[in-house]
Amino acid sequence: MFDRASLLKQVEDSTGWDVIIIGGGATGLGVALDSASRGYKTLLLEQSDFAKGTSSRSTKLIHGGVRYLAQGNLDLVKEALYERGLLLKNASHLVNNQSFIIPTYNWWDTFVYTIGLKIYDVMAGKLSFGKSVRISKKAAASRLSTIKTEHLKGGVVYHDGQFDDARLAVNMAQTAIEQGATVLNHFGVTQLQKDSNGIVNGVSAVDHETHQAYVFNAIVVINATGVFTDEILQMDNVDAKNTVRPSQGIHLVLDRSFMPGRDAIMIPKTADGRVLFLVPWHNRVVVGTTDTLLDSHSLEPKPLESEIDFILETANSYLNKRVSRTDVLSIFAGLRPLAASKDASEKTKEISRSHKVIVSKSELITITGGKWTTYRRMAQDTINKAIALKKLPYKKCPTKHLSIHGADGSADDTDHLYIYGTDLKAIEELITKDPRLGDKLHPRLEFVKAEVVWAVKNEMARTVEDVLARRVRILFLDAKAAKEVAPEVAELMATYLNKDDAWKQSQITKFTQLANQYIL
Ligand SMILES: Cc1cc2nc3c(=O)[nH]c(=O)nc-3n(C[C@H](O)[C@H](O)[C@H](O)COP(=O)(O)OP(=O)(O)OC[C@H]3O[C@@H](n4cnc5c(N)ncnc54)[C@H](O)[C@@H]3O)c2cc1C
């Protein structure tokens, strides 16, 4: 079902589509899932791999957004809290209930955060993740054993969701296919097709593996390309003004010894007024993020020295275990597609984070902004817009109660294989059949060879990067180890994909160059 050859056969046999979606990040995959589950004939094309863009580079939170609450953006918070509750049910294998502690250093902050988080609890209603509580200095210091206790007055504990972003994207692609969609990675859109009235009615695209060009017809074309939105809008109209401005956020990944307990830390106001999170993730700690407006975008954005210094300095002002550059296991940057500001003085943290559905004169539909947490609602609004434009017949949206592939009712993170949910049994069977697949990929890492085989056979991984960055996440967890296991992964993949030595060598070279960017 998830095999590229059979997916390609579907596009070759098809005479046309109801909906074509450009972009396979959280937004595009959400739209594909919505569209296919309503019964529309759906094709999604992703130029690189699913979640290669921003969607694999998030802070890994499924959250209402405490900072949006502080900004008074109550509608956004309420919507996100509702979606958070649905995701805990629908992707139960990937979304954990995570406790966060806000350390407080004066009584006023303790009071303000306690009240604010009570409001957050109330807004979550029935879908609450647990009540927030004020804790003493002693309790805060004991739960956060590496926090500096000088001037510490206490803390406020609240709950939010934590997840694996790229894994959710892959499972969403699988769910969309199960619902009848055709979903292809490494397949880029190069042009829009129009009818004699200038209405968009399809796309030209290229299979990046074979370099074969295709033209696909569709009733609706949806642009869900994140920071690449304007490139597609300019395919539609060369004079289109930029609607999106990238804002970069970076994260550092550290060993768990920097924050060994089960709680995450949320710093609501860093020296420059931003929010910083330290979140346990796959037995490491993710620290971020920054918010730097850029003038250009790319699929592999590079962290700036000033951003690295900012995160190290801020972490060191809260932790008593000193973090230095050599402690960083991996560093990654992502780009937020913020609405291009009309007013140059507007700060990025003040620009709206809500999503927008834009309809061009050509009836191209663009969905932009939003966040991972709200992808389902964004998708629903996008397809509803196509229905409102009378491009599609009305069909009810069923995604509120649609389980994501793998959902099994629990995210027991004591075994790292928990992320596979209902697929876990099949991975264990691979190991039973060939016990060598139970061997670890790297002595420092928990991941086993069977996961590589599974990713190739069932998760549409096509390159060493697809496996190490977005199926088993090693690149994001320990970039040096990722570099060291690349030859072994290329060897395993070549067996199952029937590739030769030249392919293996070129994969190892490409991946090594990439991994160097994740090493500080
Ligand atoms: C630093 C940072 C931290 C964040 N943390 C969180 C968080 O903790 N929780 C949360 O809810 N949200 C978070 N967000 C927001 C969230 O990550 C984004 O809103 C979301 O990932 C955007 O998804 P997207 O699909 O719109 O964009 P992307 O993931 O960038 O996907 C766009 C895709 O379009 C593809 N594409 C572009 N052009 C073409 C073409 N011509 N043909 C085919 N494909 C094309 C690209 O290859 C790309 O894969 C964070 C964002 C940032 C930057």
PDB file of all heavy atoms in Angstrom, residues 180-201:
ATOM      1  N   GLY A 180      -7.558   6.546   0.776  1.00  0.00           N
ATOM      2  CA  GLY A 180      -7.737   6.570  -0.680  1.00  0.00           C
ATOM      3  C   GLY A 180      -6.900   7.607  -1.416  1.00  0.00           C
ATOM      4  O   GLY A 180      -6.971   7.703  -2.646  1.00  0.00           O
ATOM      5  N   ALA A 181      -6.111   8.403  -0.708  1.00  0.00           N
ATOM      6  CA  ALA A 181      -5.293   9.422  -1.400  1.00  0.00           C
ATOM      7  C   ALA A 181      -4.072   8.774  -2.046  1.00  0.00           C
ATOM      8  O   ALA A 181      -3.641   7.694  -1.648  1.00  0.00           O
ATOM      9  CB  ALA A 181      -4.832  10.485  -0.396  1.00  0.00           C
ATOM     10  N   THR A 182      -3.521   9.472  -3.034  1.00  0.00           N
ATOM     11  CA  THR A 182      -2.215   9.102  -3.576  1.00  0.00           C
ATOM     12  C   THR A 182      -1.250  10.167  -3.087  1.00  0.00           C
ATOM     13  O   THR A 182      -1.493  11.366  -3.276  1.00  0.00           O
ATOM     14  CB  THR A 182      -2.258   9.068  -5.127  1.00  0.00           C
ATOM     15  OG1 THR A 182      -3.257   8.142  -5.505  1.00  0.00           O
ATOM     16  CG2 THR A 182      -0.924   8.661  -5.708  1.00  0.00           C
ATOM     17  N   VAL A 183      -0.193   9.726  -2.437  1.00  0.00           N
ATOM     18  CA  VAL A 183       0.704  10.655  -1.754  1.00  0.00           C
ATOM     19  C   VAL A 183       2.131  10.311  -2.176  1.00  0.00           C
ATOM     20  O   VAL A 183       2.569   9.182  -1.995  1.00  0.00           O
ATOM     21  CB  VAL A 183       0.514  10.461  -0.223  1.00  0.00           C
ATOM     22  CG1 VAL A 183       1.567  11.180   0.561  1.00  0.00           C
ATOM     23  CG2 VAL A 183      -0.876  10.929   0.206  1.00  0.00           C
ATOM     24  N   LEU A 184       2.826  11.271  -2.775  1.00  0.00           N
ATOM     25  CA  LEU A 184       4.175  10.971  -3.284  1.00  0.00           C
ATOM     26  C   LEU A 184       5.202  11.952  -2.751  1.00  0.00           C
ATOM     27  O   LEU A 184       5.018  13.177  -2.862  1.00  0.00           O
ATOM     28  CB  LEU A 184       4.170  11.037  -4.808  1.00  0.00           C
ATOM     29  CG  LEU A 184       3.585   9.798  -5.520  1.00  0.00           C
ATOM     30  CD1 LEU A 184       3.238  10.133  -6.954  1.00  0.00           C
ATOM     31  CD2 LEU A 184       4.549   8.613  -5.468  1.00  0.00           C
ATOM     32  N   ASN A 185       6.282  11.423  -2.203  1.00  0.00           N
ATOM     33  CA  ASN A 185       7.409  12.297  -1.842  1.00  0.00           C
ATOM     34  C   ASN A 185       8.424  12.315  -3.005  1.00  0.00           C
ATOM     35  O   ASN A 185       8.296  11.550  -3.959  1.00  0.00           O
ATOM     36  CB  ASN A 185       8.047  11.877  -0.504  1.00  0.00           C
ATOM     37  CG  ASN A 185       8.445  10.412  -0.456  1.00  0.00           C
ATOM     38  OD1 ASN A 185       8.233   9.682  -1.408  1.00  0.00           O
ATOM     39  ND2 ASN A 185       9.004   9.983   0.659  1.00  0.00           N
ATOM     40  N   HIS A 186       9.389  13.227  -2.944  1.00  0.00           N
ATOM     41  CA  HIS A 186      10.399  13.397  -4.001  1.00  0.00           C
ATOM     42  C   HIS A 186       9.730  13.624  -5.360  1.00  0.00           C
ATOM     43  O   HIS A 186      10.083  13.010  -6.379  1.00  0.00           O
ATOM     44  CB  HIS A 186      11.355  12.192  -4.016  1.00  0.00           C
ATOM     45  CG  HIS A 186      12.031  12.008  -2.682  1.00  0.00           C
ATOM     46  ND1 HIS A 186      13.032  12.847  -2.250  1.00  0.00           N
ATOM     47  CD2 HIS A 186      11.813  11.136  -1.675  1.00  0.00           C
ATOM     48  CE1 HIS A 186      13.407  12.481  -1.022  1.00  0.00           C
ATOM     49  NE2 HIS A 186      12.685  11.453  -0.652  1.00  0.00           N
ATOM     50  N   PHE A 187       8.735  14.472  -5.371  1.00  0.00           N
ATOM     51  CA  PHE A 187       7.945  14.748  -6.573  1.00  0.00           C
ATOM     52  C   PHE A 187       7.555  16.233  -6.529  1.00  0.00           C
ATOM     53  O   PHE A 187       6.665  16.625  -5.768  1.00  0.00           O
ATOM     54  CB  PHE A 187       6.684  13.869  -6.521  1.00  0.00           C
ATOM     55  CG  PHE A 187       6.248  13.314  -7.834  1.00  0.00           C
ATOM     56  CD1 PHE A 187       6.380  11.968  -8.105  1.00  0.00           C
ATOM     57  CD2 PHE A 187       5.708  14.145  -8.805  1.00  0.00           C
ATOM     58  CE1 PHE A 187       5.963  11.439  -9.320  1.00  0.00           C
ATOM     59  CE2 PHE A 187       5.287  13.632 -10.016  1.00  0.00           C
ATOM     60  CZ  PHE A 187       5.417  12.269 -10.282  1.00  0.00           C
ATOM     61  N   GLY A 188       8.255  17.076  -7.290  1.00  0.00           N
ATOM     62  CA  GLY A 188       8.076  18.523  -7.149  1.00  0.00           C
ATOM     63  C   GLY A 188       7.146  19.121  -8.197  1.00  0.00           C
ATOM     64  O   GLY A 188       7.145  18.702  -9.355  1.00  0.00           O
ATOM     65  N   VAL A 189       6.369  20.109  -7.779  1.00  0.00           N
ATOM     66  CA  VAL A 189       5.513  20.835  -8.721  1.00  0.00           C
ATOM     67  C   VAL A 189       6.334  21.958  -9.354  1.00  0.00           C
ATOM     68  O   VAL A 189       6.988  22.735  -8.653  1.00  0.00           O
ATOM     69  CB  VAL A 189       4.263  21.398  -8.000  1.00  0.00           C
ATOM     70  CG1 VAL A 189       3.517  22.410  -8.864  1.00  0.00           C
ATOM     71  CG2 VAL A 189       3.351  20.253  -7.594  1.00  0.00           C
ATOM     72  N   THR A 190       6.307  22.039 -10.691  1.00  0.00           N
ATOM     73  CA  THR A 190       7.135  23.027 -11.391  1.00  0.00           C
ATOM     74  C   THR A 190       6.319  24.160 -12.003  1.00  0.00           C
ATOM     75  O   THR A 190       6.836  25.240 -12.247  1.00  0.00           O
ATOM     76  CB  THR A 190       7.936  22.340 -12.519  1.00  0.00           C
ATOM     77  OG1 THR A 190       7.011  21.552 -13.270  1.00  0.00           O
ATOM     78  CG2 THR A 190       9.035  21.452 -11.950  1.00  0.00           C
ATOM     79  N   GLN A 191       5.049  23.898 -12.299  1.00  0.00           N
ATOM     80  CA  GLN A 191       4.182  24.925 -12.903  1.00  0.00           C
ATOM     81  C   GLN A 191       2.734  24.639 -12.564  1.00  0.00           C
ATOM     82  O   GLN A 191       2.403  23.516 -12.192  1.00  0.00           O
ATOM     83  CB  GLN A 191       4.307  24.902 -14.442  1.00  0.00           C
ATOM     84  CG  GLN A 191       5.301  25.880 -15.057  1.00  0.00           C
ATOM     85  CD  GLN A 191       5.290  27.272 -14.430  1.00  0.00           C
ATOM     86  OE1 GLN A 191       4.237  27.812 -14.090  1.00  0.00           O
ATOM     87  NE2 GLN A 191       6.464  27.867 -14.265  1.00  0.00           N
ATOM     88  N   LEU A 192       1.907  25.691 -12.711  1.00  0.00           N
ATOM     89  CA  LEU A 192       0.463  25.480 -12.576  1.00  0.00           C
ATOM     90  C   LEU A 192      -0.128  25.415 -13.979  1.00  0.00           C
ATOM     91  O   LEU A 192       0.358  26.107 -14.896  1.00  0.00           O
ATOM     92  CB  LEU A 192      -0.168  26.641 -11.799  1.00  0.00           C
ATOM     93  CG  LEU A 192       0.347  26.839 -10.365  1.00  0.00           C
ATOM     94  CD1 LEU A 192      -0.263  28.104  -9.760  1.00  0.00           C
ATOM     95  CD2 LEU A 192       0.020  25.624  -9.498  1.00  0.00           C
ATOM     96  N   GLN A 193      -1.153  24.614 -14.155  1.00  0.00           N
ATOM     97  CA  GLN A 193      -1.875  24.541 -15.432  1.00  0.00           C
ATOM     98  C   GLN A 193      -3.137  25.387 -15.308  1.00  0.00           C
ATOM     99  O   GLN A 193      -3.749  25.428 -14.244  1.00  0.00           O
ATOM    100  CB  GLN A 193      -2.297  23.090 -15.725  1.00  0.00           C
ATOM    101  CG  GLN A 193      -1.148  22.128 -15.902  1.00  0.00           C
ATOM    102  CD  GLN A 193      -0.418  22.384 -17.194  1.00  0.00           C
ATOM    103  OE1 GLN A 193      -1.028  22.704 -18.227  1.00  0.00           O
ATOM    104  NE2 GLN A 193       0.907  22.285 -17.151  1.00  0.00           N
ATOM    105  N   LYS A 194      -3.511  26.085 -16.415  1.00  0.00           N
ATOM    106  CA  LYS A 194      -4.738  26.902 -16.374  1.00  0.00           C
ATOM    107  C   LYS A 194      -5.610  26.630 -17.594  1.00  0.00           C
ATOM    108  O   LYS A 194      -5.088  26.279 -18.662  1.00  0.00           O
ATOM    109  CB  LYS A 194      -4.359  28.383 -16.361  1.00  0.00           C
ATOM    110  CG  LYS A 194      -3.716  28.812 -15.053  1.00  0.00           C
ATOM    111  CD  LYS A 194      -3.479  30.303 -15.015  1.00  0.00           C
ATOM    112  CE  LYS A 194      -2.849  30.680 -13.689  1.00  0.00           C
ATOM    113  NZ  LYS A 194      -2.493  32.087 -13.620  1.00  0.00           N
ATOM    114  N   ASP A 195      -6.929  26.852 -17.440  1.00  0.00           N
ATOM    115  CA  ASP A 195      -7.816  26.714 -18.608  1.00  0.00           C
ATOM    116  C   ASP A 195      -7.872  28.049 -19.357  1.00  0.00           C
ATOM    117  O   ASP A 195      -7.185  29.016 -18.987  1.00  0.00           O
ATOM    118  CB  ASP A 195      -9.214  26.218 -18.173  1.00  0.00           C
ATOM    119  CG  ASP A 195      -9.991  27.244 -17.347  1.00  0.00           C
ATOM    120  OD1 ASP A 195      -9.566  28.423 -17.294  1.00  0.00           O
ATOM    121  OD2 ASP A 195     -11.011  26.864 -16.750  1.00  0.00           O
ATOM    122  N   SER A 196      -8.713  28.126 -20.380  1.00  0.00           N
ATOM    123  CA  SER A 196      -8.727  29.326 -21.230  1.00  0.00           C
ATOM    124  C   SER A 196      -9.232  30.569 -20.475  1.00  0.00           C
ATOM    125  O   SER A 196      -9.008  31.691 -20.898  1.00  0.00           O
ATOM    126  CB  SER A 196      -9.589  29.064 -22.471  1.00  0.00           C
ATOM    127  OG  SER A 196     -10.842  28.594 -22.025  1.00  0.00           O
ATOM    128  N   ASN A 197      -9.902  30.354 -19.321  1.00  0.00           N
ATOM    129  CA  ASN A 197     -10.361  31.503 -18.523  1.00  0.00           C
ATOM    130  C   ASN A 197      -9.370  31.898 -17.440  1.00  0.00           C
ATOM    131  O   ASN A 197      -9.684  32.723 -16.574  1.00  0.00           O
ATOM    132  CB  ASN A 197     -11.696  31.164 -17.851  1.00  0.00           C
ATOM    133  CG  ASN A 197     -12.777  30.926 -18.871  1.00  0.00           C
ATOM    134  OD1 ASN A 197     -12.857  31.653 -19.856  1.00  0.00           O
ATOM    135  ND2 ASN A 197     -13.554  29.879 -18.667  1.00  0.00           N
ATOM    136  N   GLY A 198      -8.215  31.248 -17.446  1.00  0.00           N
ATOM    137  CA  GLY A 198      -7.197  31.588 -16.437  1.00  0.00           C
ATOM    138  C   GLY A 198      -7.442  30.910 -15.097  1.00  0.00           C
ATOM    139  O   GLY A 198      -6.849  31.287 -14.088  1.00  0.00           O
ATOM    140  N   ILE A 199      -8.304  29.910 -15.066  1.00  0.00           N
ATOM    141  CA  ILE A 199      -8.582  29.181 -13.816  1.00  0.00           C
ATOM    142  C   ILE A 199      -7.600  28.009 -13.707  1.00  0.00           C
ATOM    143  O   ILE A 199      -7.430  27.242 -14.671  1.00  0.00           O
ATOM    144  CB  ILE A 199     -10.046  28.649 -13.799  1.00  0.00           C
ATOM    145  CG1 ILE A 199     -11.041  29.813 -13.961  1.00  0.00           C
ATOM    146  CG2 ILE A 199     -10.324  27.837 -12.530  1.00  0.00           C
ATOM    147  CD1 ILE A 199     -10.993  30.881 -12.900  1.00  0.00           C
ATOM    148  N   VAL A 200      -6.979  27.895 -12.533  1.00  0.00           N
ATOM    149  CA  VAL A 200      -6.012  26.802 -12.337  1.00  0.00           C
ATOM    150  C   VAL A 200      -6.748  25.464 -12.399  1.00  0.00           C
ATOM    151  O   VAL A 200      -7.740  25.261 -11.697  1.00  0.00           O
ATOM    152  CB  VAL A 200      -5.295  26.957 -10.969  1.00  0.00           C
ATOM    153  CG1 VAL A 200      -4.495  25.709 -10.627  1.00  0.00           C
ATOM    154  CG2 VAL A 200      -4.372  28.172 -10.981  1.00  0.00           C
ATOM    155  N   ASN A 201      -6.238  24.573 -13.263  1.00  0.00           N
ATOM    156  CA  ASN A 201      -6.905  23.263 -13.375  1.00  0.00           C
ATOM    157  C   ASN A 201      -5.916  22.099 -13.370  1.00  0.00           C
ATOM    158  O   ASN A 201      -6.205  21.037 -13.898  1.00  0.00           O
ATOM    159  CB  ASN A 201      -7.810  23.214 -14.605  1.00  0.00           C
ATOM    160  CG  ASN A 201      -7.012  23.318 -15.903  1.00  0.00           C
ATOM    161  OD1 ASN A 201      -5.787  23.498 -15.857  1.00  0.00           O
ATOM    162  ND2 ASN A 201      -7.679  23.204 -17.038  1.00  0.00           N
TER     163      ASN A 201
END
